[in-house]
Amino acid sequence: QVQLVESGGGLVQAGGSLRLSCAASGRTFGSYARGWFRQAPGKEREFVAVISWSDSTYYADSVKGRFTISRDNAKNTVYLQMNSLKPEDTGVYYCNAGPGALNLSVRPGAYWGQGTPVTVSS
């Protein structure tokens, strides 16, 4: 069975940085697009960033220039480096994976992690 496990969430002050990780097991993910979504309290889940099998990337406008997504295929792990964090970045961050490319931003893959909470204080 496929498992996605996020880690690295926590509490950080505005302007600080945090690095999230998502490790996959149970299946090969080398050719999959990998992405991050987040859900703030009382809001719908929204797209954050995606990276394709060829390492093309795409970001939501709200995080562009501050967040960086990367992947380590040997470890089946995707990362989200978050810099210059703002209180509006607060939410539960979910790892996602599936076939395709950057369209993962609008058509999420079938596999989700359990989520890791991120809280940015002002």
Side-chain angles (χ1 to χ4, degrees):
Q1 293 184 318
V2 176
Q3 297 286 337
L4 299 176
V5 180
E6 301 98 333
S7 62
L11 175 65
V12 65
Q13 288 186 288
S17 298
L18 210 56
R19 192 190 196 201
L20 307 183
S21 299
C22 177
S25 63
R27 195 185 187 277
T28 57
F29 284 84
S31 63
Y32 274 31
R34 303 283 295 275
W36 290 93
F37 292 73
R38 68 187 182 189
Q39 187 168 19
K43 293 188 175 182
E44 297 292 317
R45 189 173 300 186
E46 66 176 352
F47 165 76
V48 175
V50 59
I51 184 166
S52 73
W53 63 269
S54 61
D55 286 343
S56 296
T57 59
Y58 177 69
Y59 300 89
D61 288 341
S62 60
V63 307
K64 196 172 299 180
R66 300 187 297 118
F67 290 12
T68 302
I69 188 170
S70 61
R71 67 191 299 167
D72 185 336
N73 290 334
K75 296 180 179 180
N76 276 331
T77 299
V78 64
Y79 305 94
L80 185 67
Q81 178 66 47
M82 305 185 294
N83 298 326
S84 301
L85 283 162
K86 304 174 181 179
E88 50 262 46
D89 294 318
T90 293
V92 178
Y93 283 68
Y94 297 90
C95 181
N96 180 248
L102 302 184
N103 61 329
L104 195 72
S105 62
V106 294
R107 293 183 178 88
Y111 303 106
W112 293 92
Q114 81 287 348
T116 185
V118 171
T119 301
V120 184
S121 64
S122 59

